Amino acid sequence: MATYASPVPAPSGTTTPSGTTTPSVTATPSATTPAGDGPAWWRSAVTYQLYIRSFADGNGDGLGDVAGIRSRLPYLAALGVDALWINPWYPSPQADGGYDVADYRDIDPAFGTLADAQALLDEAHALGLRVLLDVVPNHTSDEHAWFRAALAAGPGSPERERYVFRPGRGPDGASPPNDWTAVFGGPAWERVTEPDGRPGEWYLHLFDPKQPDLNWENPQVRTEFLDILRFWFDRGADGFRIDVAHGLIKDPALPDLGDDVEEILGTTTREGHPHWDLPGVHEVYREWRALADTYDPPKVFVAEAWVASPARLAAYLRPDELHTAFDFDFVRAPWDATQLRATAAASLAAHDSVGAPVMWVLSNHDVTRHVTRLGRLEQPAGGAGLRSSTSPVDLDLGRRRARALLLLELALPGGVYLYQGEELGLEEVQDLPEDLLQDPTWERSGHTERGRDGCRVPLPWTASGPSLGFGTAQAWLPQPAAWADLAVDRQEEDPSSMLAFYRRALRLRRDVPGLGAGDATSAQWLDLGPDVVAFRREPGSASSTSGPHRWRCPRATCCSPATPRWTAPPARSRRPWPRTPPSGSTSRTDTRPAGCQSVGLTRPATRRASRGRQPPPAGRPRARRRRSRAPAPAPGRRCGRPRPGS
Ligand code: NOJ
């Protein structure tokens, strides 16, 4: 495994997840802060999501932790991301992977201590990495002190007012107060036993019964969360990802919903839904924004808001509200050029209307990993979601498509969120043994939905070891044996690996000023046919994402879902575009339009085949291809359609 040089020592006395000591594992702080040092760094940042349970296990208990993350900060800095987002690390019974928080101002002992968290924040900052934490305002754990107090205090008490308690319907109040269903399955209400031992009121939980919903009409709740934000901001957190940002406010009448079925990550198109995307949420975020703006530099937010349309999402991003929100439309989009383009264009236009950047996402800890989604031979109409699928999967195809989409999202204006392991090309683990499934969805759906564990399997760091270098013990979820070949140490030896591709692509994004920056008007769509997504970037120029055509155009990015087999240019070159084409770029597979220039994006299979060469053996870097000098295209020359017959 590579080591890196840096002034920041690895956490003292830490052992890497693979069991080796770390005195020499250090990293170079980002020499240039790619997303910029200014207060608007977040507009084009690439943020890496750390699902802490599964990233790296520093203490050998099979569960990821803060020490594990600290030991891998050099890896993250070398990858070339700008920021980290850490999933909830607070004390929690872990009924929903930490999204059931028992104490918002501490660290779960299984993950470390508050001092460890502080060290992580400081070390990440020293490496030029910003850190976003995860705040869960819609609900607490049922083991939170407030909920315990509410149970003890009984009906009508101020303690119960912090949650949504109601008497039941029907004789003896034995039926839930309304017909709402929980996202994880079953009714959204749970009946409590009162302090006197009798069956009593019901409380609302839009997710699991161990996640009672807070009452955001209660001023104490609002004050408390402002204080929680302040607590972490004061310790150096650069911002927060907001869980279920669209769910905080409920219609006080709690009307029945009829036949609405809740689906995690689903959106409702129902007008006036009684608990999703109510107008009252915006007032909450205006208060949060005001607090964030009191810091220098200002703190930032990214919302998880599953809403009906880009326009609804944009409402959260008005200038006095949240800075950013995940754009899940690529997660839902099928592999279809027309739809990808329409999706991106609609998102850009809606965000532009409020002056906000789009945050592009392909995967996270809630959805089927995109290598698997994209490799499904039958593309489900609605995209990913939670549902497992029996559709056959071609992982090789999925990985090629994943490369294409990565370059597409890195070239578009806006920021990008990467989910841990996507840089390794990890697929969804679809065959975890049922008795190991931990997502509450599995139990709550009556064993009809396997849930999200398949995208949460711990990362493989080394090709050997009890958990492929994740830690010194078995991991909390088993990794497929085939992941040995996807382990970081293997991929670091292979210049054609997915990891090498991500590193080059991220380097390219730093090098080319036009990538990521700008607003919707800086991406002008080009019509190159129904199977090509293409756009011109202003200012600067962009990389190609994929396509049958081995060319690039100044200021254009082209993505053809038909035959995506591109790899990114070599990481070594730091010269801005336009670059000279690789020798042989005018081979018969070179179909670039007149005036467009090859950029060293190669189709390995085709190129090798056309030269009659074999790939180098694993572990031996491919010899550097000699580059010929070619004249740069005339400035402002436009892309056209590929030449017919080429
Ligand atoms: C969204 C989170 O991403 C998911 O993991 C969690 O289960 C729900 N919110 C409930 O907190």
Side-chain angles (χ1 to χ4, degrees):
M1 179 167 304
T3 58
Y4 312 93
S6 150
V8 180
S12 62
T14 327
T15 304
T16 64
S18 55
T20 56
T21 49
T22 59
S24 64
V25 179
T26 49
T28 308
S30 310
T32 54
T33 307
D37 272 329
W41 62 272
W42 44 271
R43 296 187 71 88
S44 58
V46 177
T47 304
Y48 186 97
Q49 179 189 351
L50 289 154
Y51 191 70
I52 185 168
R53 297 165 59 86
S54 302
F55 182 69
D57 169 18
N59 67 359
D61 65 356
L63 192 68
D65 48 34
V66 177
I69 297 177
R70 291 173 67 195
S71 74
R72 298 297 183 184
L73 285 175
Y75 167 85
L76 295 166
L79 183 60
V81 299
D82 306 306
L84 311 175
W85 151 36
I86 305 175
N87 285 110
W89 57 2
Y90 318 106
S92 161
Q94 302 288 327
D96 179 22
Y99 282 95
D100 46 321
V101 181
D103 180 354
Y104 292 82
R105 296 181 183 82
D106 206 347
I107 300 292
D108 194 299
F111 297 144
T113 64
L114 214 42
D116 295 336
Q118 186 66 63
L120 168 55
L121 286 164
D122 296 344
E123 288 161 8
H125 288 157
L127 292 171
L129 297 166
R130 273 123 176 153
V131 182
L132 306 182
L133 304 181
D134 206 323
V135 65
V136 188
N138 181 67
H139 44 262
T140 68
S141 163
D142 65 343
E143 297 183 28
H144 189 283
W146 274 11
F147 194 73
R148 289 191 163 142
L151 291 184
S157 62
E159 287 83 353
R160 287 216 172 167
E161 269 303 300
R162 297 172 181 146
Y163 293 89
V164 185
F165 279 87
R166 292 287 185 283
R169 295 197 286 203
D172 304 324
S175 300
N178 69 21
D179 66 354
W180 296 0
T181 55
V183 170
F184 296 148
W189 296 91
E190 190 78 3
R191 194 169 197 187
V192 302
T193 301
E194 299 299 356
D196 63 8
R198 285 183 301 166
E201 290 188 322
W202 297 71
Y203 67 87
L204 177 68
H205 59 86
L206 288 183
F207 292 87
D208 191 78
K210 288 189 69 64
Q211 295 167 297
D213 278 50
L214 286 161
N215 170 19
W216 274 85
E217 306 299 342
N218 185 326
Q220 281 182 43
V221 173
R222 295 182 183 233
T223 306
E224 172 71 356
F225 273 86
L226 286 169
D227 200 55
I228 291 164
L229 297 179
R230 220 177 274 119
F231 178 89
W232 290 105
F233 286 160
D234 290 348
R235 277 160 183 74
D238 298 289
F240 275 97
R241 176 260 191 193
I242 305 170
D243 188 59
V244 202
H246 57 308
L248 273 45
I249 302 293
K250 281 86 186 177
D251 181 337
L254 301 176
D256 278 342
L257 264 166
D259 56 4
D260 244 35
V261 176
E262 296 304 343
E263 199 183 343
I264 190 165
L265 318 183
T267 55
T268 180
T269 46
R270 182 186 177 123
E271 275 302 311
H273 194 283
H275 64 70
W276 294 140
D277 195 21
L278 270 79
V281 293
H282 298 288
E283 190 187 319
V284 174
Y285 300 131
R286 278 192 283 271
E287 282 183 355
W288 288 22
R289 177 62 178 257
L291 172 65
D293 284 348
T294 63
Y295 287 82
D296 182 19
K299 307 295 184 178
V300 304
F301 295 109
V302 56
E304 183 219 26
W306 292 86
V307 294
S309 65
R312 301 291 305 188
L313 193 63
Y316 289 72
L317 306 177
R318 289 171 287 194
D320 60 345
E321 293 194 40
L322 302 176
H323 306 74
T324 59
F326 299 122
D327 189 301
F328 293 124
D329 286 343
F330 276 166
V331 173
R332 294 181 280 216
W335 183 254
D336 175 273
T338 307
Q339 293 198 46
L340 283 171
R341 173 184 160 152
T343 293
S347 290
L348 284 166
H351 283 68
D352 233 29
S353 70
V354 289
V358 182
M359 294 293 120
W360 308 102
V361 180
L362 295 174
S363 275
N364 66 25
H365 64 294
D366 288 330
V367 301
T368 303
R369 279 191 178 272
H370 64 270
V371 159
T372 300
R373 282 186 349 246
L374 296 168
R376 280 191 180 139
L377 299 180
E378 297 145 20
Q379 289 281 304
L386 240 194
R387 297 193 187 287
S388 42
S389 162
T390 52
S391 164
V393 178
D394 177 344
L395 290 178
D396 199 37
L397 175 68
R399 293 196 175 104
R400 294 200 306 272
R401 290 175 170 178
R403 287 181 182 225
L405 280 190
L406 174 74
L407 293 188
L408 175 63
E409 65 175 1
L410 288 180
L412 285 166
V416 172
Y417 277 78
L418 306 178
Y419 177 48
Q420 65 180 37
E422 69 169 82
E423 79 278 18
L424 305 178
L426 299 187
E427 76 276 17
E428 183 83 1
V429 182
Q430 303 197 87
D431 57 356
L432 287 168
E434 291 181 352
D435 59 339
L436 294 182
L437 295 179
Q438 301 203 12
D439 186 341
T441 308
W442 175 240
E443 288 304 326
R444 298 288 296 171
S445 69
H447 297 183
T448 57
E449 286 292 334
R450 292 174 64 87
R452 302 159 289 176
D453 292 314
C455 65
R456 300 173 175 182
V457 174
L459 297 195
W461 292 93
T462 57
S464 59
S467 51
L468 299 178
F470 169 68
T472 51
Q474 296 280 326
W476 68 282
L477 286 173
Q479 301 138 308
W483 280 15
D485 288 337
L486 299 178
V488 172
D489 65 350
R490 281 268 168 88
Q491 297 207 32
E492 284 188 326
E493 293 171 348
D494 178 3
S496 68
S497 68
M498 185 69 100
L499 178 58
F501 180 81
Y502 265 71
R503 287 179 174 168
R504 289 199 301 273
L506 290 166
R507 169 73 62 88
L508 182 60
R509 182 172 157 108
R510 291 181 178 210
D511 286 352
V512 180
L515 299 182
D519 57 19
T521 58
S522 66
Q524 295 146 28
W525 296 100
L526 305 172
D527 181 6
L528 299 185
D531 67 342
V532 180
V533 180
F535 56 91
R536 172 196 303 268
R537 288 302 319 272
E538 300 285 356
S541 54
S543 71
S544 169
T545 56
S546 74
H549 317 299
R550 197 171 64 247
W551 50 261
R552 71 172 283 278
C553 309
R555 302 183 183 82
T557 286
C558 308
C559 169
S560 164
T563 48
R565 286 195 64 94
W566 298 111
T567 58
R572 251 177 282 219
S573 171
R574 295 190 68 91
R575 276 183 300 138
W577 300 115
R579 296 217 177 103
T580 53
S583 64
S585 66
T586 51
S587 71
R588 61 192 171 81
T589 57
D590 184 356
T591 54
R592 66 183 187 264
C596 296
Q597 192 181 26
S598 172
V599 291
L601 301 180
T602 60
R603 298 170 73 183
T606 309
R607 182 169 287 278
R608 282 199 295 272
S610 67
R611 295 181 175 192
R613 282 207 207 131
Q614 294 303 310
R620 209 176 75 210
R622 193 189 304 273
R624 272 192 82 182
R625 199 181 300 127
R626 197 181 308 170
R627 289 167 177 275
S628 67
R629 297 187 77 77
R637 187 101 175 246
R638 296 187 64 117
C639 291
R641 285 179 182 278
R643 283 195 294 262
S646 56

